[in-house]
């Protein structure tokens, strides 16, 4: 992969990660989830919030795995 393609991919992954973190902050009401991880999601009220938090946390995990492999 060329350097420019690699940089573009990294930038896109960073944008996806920012979006996921923003959504998690909105769902959780704070950034405390960053310190506690997915255990924090059990404290959320409502199954929709828990599902949404797990979805975006999963996205972050995938993004981190991809970034680690490039």
């Amino acid at each position: 992969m060329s350097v420019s393609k690699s940089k573009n991919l990294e930038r896109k992954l960073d944008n996806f990660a920012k979006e996921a973190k923003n959504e998690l902050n909105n769902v959780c009401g704070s950034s405390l989830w960053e310190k506690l991880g997915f255990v924090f999601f059990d404290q959320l009220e409502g199954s929709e919030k828990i599902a949404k938090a797990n979805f975006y946390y999963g996205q972050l995990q995938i993004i981190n795995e991809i970034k680690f492999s490039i």
Side-chain angles (χ1 to χ4, degrees), residues 27 41-55:
V27 170
F41 306 151
D42 292 336
Q43 310 291 326
L44 296 173
E45 294 181 14
S47 59
E48 283 187 34
K49 282 188 174 186
I50 294 170
K52 192 171 185 179
N54 281 315
F55 173 78

Side-chain angles (χ1 to χ4, degrees), residues 13-70:
L13 290 171
D14 287 341
N15 287 336
F16 286 135
K18 278 184 195 176
E19 182 182 340
K21 286 180 180 182
N22 286 337
E23 288 295 327
L24 280 165
N25 288 338
N26 288 336
V27 170
C28 296
S30 72
S31 62
L32 187 57
W33 62 269
E34 290 186 68
K35 290 184 173 56
L36 299 176
F38 69 92
V39 174
F40 181 81
F41 306 151
D42 292 336
Q43 310 291 326
L44 296 173
E45 294 181 14
S47 59
E48 283 187 34
K49 282 188 174 186
I50 294 170
K52 192 171 185 179
N54 281 315
F55 173 78
Y56 284 109
Y57 192 76
Q59 275 193 339
L60 280 177
Q61 296 303 312
I62 292 168
I63 291 166
N64 289 333
E65 287 179 30
I66 293 170
K67 287 174 95 174
F68 181 74
S69 67
I70 58 172

